Amino acid sequence: MARSPKTSDEERAGSRDIGALRALWPFLVPYKGIMTLAVAALVLTACVSLVLPLAVRRVVDNFEVDAGALLDRYFVAALAIAALLALGTAARYYLVTRLGERVVTDIRKAVFARMVAMSPAFYERIMTGEVLSRITTDTTLILSVIGSSASVALRNLLILVGGLVLLLLTSAKLTGLVLLIVPAIIVPIVVLGRRLRVLSRQNQDWIAASSGNASETLLSVQTVQAYSHEARSRARFDEVTEKSFAAARQRIGTRAVMTAIVIFLIFAGIVGVLWIGARDVNAGAMTVGALVQFVIYAVMVAGAVGALTEIWGELQRAAGATERLVELLNAEDSLREPGAPRLAPQARGEITFEDVSFSYPSRPDVSALDHVGVTIRPGETVALVGPSGAGKTTMIQLLLRFWDPATGRVLLDGIDLRDMARPDFRRQMALVPQDPVIFADTARENIRFGRPDASDAEVEAAARAAAAHDFLMALPQGYDSQVGERGVMLSGGQKQRIAIARAILRDAPVLLLDEATSALDAESERLVQRAVDRLARGRTTLIVAHRLATVKKADRILVFDGGRIVAQGSHDDLVAEDGLYARLARLQFTDGMVQAAE
């Protein structure tokens, strides 16, 4: 079972080891061909690099020999080796960079596909901004590893191993002295590397928290400004961002200390070995060319170790990033799809709630619905009324299977929703939510969201039916006008009418209206109500409304209070009962008459 995203300071300290990078393997497998070519180019460049010191030794040892042609051949060979090294390096760069971009693209697609299918319960535990941070920032870290660090690490590992072998062949005595300092180098890498891994994970978590905070504030910027909350919002963002910087500073400091220790030990060892080698040359125990070759190999090995310590830090950060992305990929949805889903029939529109009880996870002690049982006949228009929080919208959310009931069943045409694939039965429903969602696209595409294959003529017909055509034509580019992020270019009523046009275009057998006319002026409400009346003919329609005038024409009215259905019937019958509905009606109609008089 996937862990829930970490939020507390104590939890942020936890991190897995670099083995977390193994989770990237399934994304690499489809590109074995590119990996094979990249490794071949990498091995080629490493081998060519290791050959160069041999050529240098030949030149040095034969420099005083009267053999110009021989020297010429050595230099030509060195030039050919350099050309081969250049071509191999270019090929390696192209292949591994392309591989990194391809894999990261696949990871982003996989994470987004997983996240967009998660039920609302998941987003009660994690901020949307943090998810976006993981998809962007964390995948960028993985890109740097696959597209650069991993190949550089492998190349330096080959040079390290090959260099050590050639050092041994050049001078076993000096190589033995070099190997004596290896344990002293490994200890700080291991000890400080563990600390670095923890700090890397902590840094990434704080970056994600910072992104989540910024996203939440900017998406509600008008409310923030209306309440003069800018200073407090800045303070909250600054606090989280400074914590991210503090974690980054600790990580950078730890890595700097590790780098300093390792480089000093490496080059101190080289200086000592060079001193002993120089004495051997004076004693005639080895040639100048052999010493030069040994020194070059020693520098290459030292450079490889230094590079590996640098790359180790990158791998630690990437391991933390991979771990966080895997959490999203492996996150379990509280709503499970059936193993063998039943095909959703062409809906007649019969809706049944059988003894349904439900509480939201964030409020487990409060019953949103309490043993609700009701059947809505095909083609029937049913209004859900009652005080705020009585359970009306919850009925629609359960019908769309955004949540599953704690007890009881929700059925569509006699089939439990849990036995069908969610996309199948949702295609047979059209929703107009209380807060209409408008995308950063054209007005035309926002309406076409209801049915992507609809023609322009069908889109415009839906807009006319929703009383949206006139104001859309008045926009600068008409239907092709951009409406801005979340529809900032539109009024509340205009957004509502676009949402209604979207539902009209969907032409589904079940229509769900959640306060669909709440943001409309009196004239627009009258026009839209006519459209809704026409749309509801022959369809099963659920209307959630506080305005009782909106629901008077319903075939049946369900009155909710405290998560229960406390009364049902026609408007006249419920008024005659003088219960909750009658009190709500008197309040609304009295308020309406007072407002009209004013």
Side-chain angles (χ1 to χ4, degrees):
M1 182 172 178
R3 299 177 300 165
S4 59
K6 299 181 178 182
T7 53
S8 69
D9 289 0
E10 293 79 8
E11 287 174 318
R12 289 178 194 277
S15 178
R16 297 177 185 140
D17 60 17
I18 203 168
L21 291 173
R22 285 194 298 267
L24 298 177
W25 181 245
F27 294 97
L28 290 165
V29 168
Y31 308 106
K32 287 182 178 178
I34 296 178
M35 282 195 295
T36 301
L37 291 174
V39 170
L42 189 148
V43 171
L44 173 66
T45 55
C47 291
V48 169
S49 299
L50 291 170
V51 167
L52 277 173
L54 295 174
V56 172
R57 175 180 178 176
R58 294 294 183 110
V59 170
V60 171
D61 283 345
N62 291 283
F63 196 76
E64 296 180 358
V65 177
D66 187 16
L70 180 62
L71 283 175
D72 289 345
R73 285 199 297 273
Y74 282 139
F75 279 105
V76 169
L79 188 61
I81 290 172
L84 194 59
L85 182 63
L87 291 173
T89 302
R92 175 182 62 84
Y93 169 79
Y94 172 78
L95 292 167
V96 297
T97 304
R98 176 184 167 186
L99 176 65
E101 293 285 357
R102 181 67 264 172
V103 167
V104 165
T105 298
D106 291 348
I107 291 173
R108 284 175 175 158
K109 288 163 61 177
V111 173
F112 180 78
R114 182 65 179 154
M115 291 298 96
V116 81
M118 296 299 286
S119 63
F122 176 79
Y123 292 99
E124 286 197 344
R125 306 192 307 269
I126 186 171
M127 294 178 69
T128 305
E130 181 168 350
V131 174
L132 295 177
S133 173
R134 296 191 187 192
I135 292 175
T136 54
T137 307
D138 289 354
T139 52
T140 300
L141 283 175
I142 293 172
L143 174 61
S144 72
V145 168
I146 298 175
S148 175
S149 300
S151 67
V152 173
L154 184 54
R155 179 176 179 274
N156 280 284
L157 186 62
L158 291 173
I159 289 176
L160 173 61
V161 174
L164 285 173
V165 171
L166 291 168
L167 280 175
L168 187 63
L169 295 175
T170 305
S171 173
K173 171 187 171 183
L174 296 182
T175 303
L177 295 174
V178 168
L179 293 178
L180 287 176
I181 66 171
V182 171
I185 296 171
I186 291 176
V187 169
I189 291 176
V190 172
V191 174
L192 294 178
R194 290 175 180 169
R195 174 64 177 160
L196 192 61
R197 181 175 69 248
V198 171
L199 292 173
S200 296
R201 171 66 194 249
Q202 186 176 348
N203 183 205
Q204 288 305 113
D205 279 347
W206 280 120
I207 289 173
S210 175
S211 296
N213 180 278
S215 174
E216 182 181 44
T217 302
L218 294 177
L219 287 173
S220 309
V221 68
Q222 291 184 2
T223 302
V224 170
Q225 293 173 356
Y227 281 86
S228 302
H229 209 274
E230 297 94 332
R232 289 179 64 87
S233 295
R234 280 195 296 268
R236 284 178 57 199
F237 180 78
D238 289 351
E239 180 185 1
V240 177
T241 305
E242 283 298 324
K243 287 182 177 179
S244 171
F245 169 73
R249 184 178 57 195
Q250 287 182 286
R251 174 180 58 79
I252 293 167
T254 302
R255 185 168 173 179
V257 169
M258 182 176 73
T259 301
I261 293 173
V262 171
I263 289 178
F264 174 76
L265 291 173
I266 288 172
F267 284 97
I270 289 176
V271 169
V273 169
L274 184 60
W275 174 67
I276 295 172
R279 294 174 65 88
D280 285 348
V281 170
N282 283 334
M286 68 186 306
T287 65
V288 174
L291 179 59
V292 170
Q293 176 182 314
F294 187 88
V295 170
I296 293 175
Y297 279 132
V299 170
M300 290 176 68
V301 168
V305 173
L308 287 172
T309 60
E310 289 284 321
I311 292 166
W312 184 255
E314 292 296 322
L315 294 178
Q316 297 286 354
R317 294 189 70 195
T322 302
E323 186 179 47
R324 289 155 45 82
L325 287 167
V326 168
E327 282 181 0
L328 296 184
L329 286 170
N330 292 341
E332 290 190 7
D333 198 345
S334 58
L335 301 185
R336 297 184 180 276
E337 290 285 46
R342 295 179 61 179
L343 292 177
Q346 182 58 43
R348 295 181 297 111
E350 183 181 74
I351 298 167
T352 304
F353 284 73
E354 286 186 355
D355 194 31
V356 169
S357 295
F358 173 73
S359 298
Y360 288 98
S362 57
R363 306 186 299 277
D365 298 330
V366 179
S367 292
L369 291 179
D370 186 9
H371 297 287
V372 170
V374 66
T375 296
I376 299 167
R377 297 181 297 276
E380 185 179 15
T381 296
V382 175
L384 314 179
V385 301
S388 295
K392 305 181 299 296
T393 297
T394 302
M395 290 279 285
I396 287 182
Q397 292 194 339
L398 290 180
L399 183 55
L400 285 163
R401 207 187 168 210
F402 291 154
W403 311 88
D404 276 340
T407 62
R409 299 191 302 164
V410 181
L411 301 94
L412 178 64
D413 292 330
I415 303 177
D416 193 326
L417 296 183
R418 287 172 290 201
D419 294 334
M420 295 182 282
R422 280 174 280 176
D424 283 352
F425 67 78
R426 285 175 182 167
R427 288 191 192 99
Q428 306 190 46
M429 302 179 186
L431 169 69
V432 181
Q434 182 173 1
D435 297 317
V437 175
I438 304 297
F439 300 96
D441 205 334
T442 64
R444 187 186 306 278
E445 292 306 314
N446 266 283
I447 296 174
R448 187 176 273 132
F449 191 84
R451 183 156 54 89
D453 59 350
S455 66
D456 287 350
E458 290 173 316
V459 169
E460 293 182 18
R464 289 179 188 276
H469 177 75
D470 290 342
F471 84 77
L472 289 176
M473 290 303 296
L475 295 175
Q477 284 82 43
Y479 281 79
D480 296 317
S481 299
Q482 293 286 333
V483 296
E485 185 179 17
R486 301 170 71 203
V488 294
M489 307 297 292
L490 304 174
S491 69
Q494 289 172 335
K495 290 188 221 177
Q496 198 87 47
R497 278 180 275 176
I498 285 180
I500 291 170
R502 182 186 295 162
I504 291 172
L505 184 65
R506 190 168 179 84
D507 194 24
V510 177
L511 180 62
L512 308 174
L513 304 173
D514 188 358
E515 294 286 357
T517 59
S518 61
L520 301 182
D521 56 74
E523 182 179 0
S524 295
E525 182 178 11
R526 179 175 55 82
L527 294 171
V528 169
Q529 192 60 53
R530 289 179 183 173
V532 169
D533 290 344
R534 289 194 299 269
L535 180 63
R537 290 178 194 144
R539 291 178 172 82
T540 304
T541 306
L542 265 67
I543 304 174
V544 174
H546 287 292
R547 296 186 185 182
L548 301 185
T550 305
V551 303
K552 285 177 67 175
K553 295 180 182 178
D555 299 320
R556 186 163 35 133
I557 299 170
L558 304 181
V559 184
F560 282 80
D561 190 23
R564 290 176 174 268
I565 298 176
V566 294
Q568 59 179 300
S570 67
H571 170 76
D572 293 337
D573 291 342
L574 292 172
V575 169
E577 288 180 7
D578 199 27
L580 174 60
Y581 182 85
R583 291 198 300 275
L584 293 173
R586 282 195 295 271
L587 284 171
Q588 287 215 11
F589 292 149
T590 301
D591 288 347
M593 287 187 289
V594 170
Q595 290 169 7
E598 291 175 350

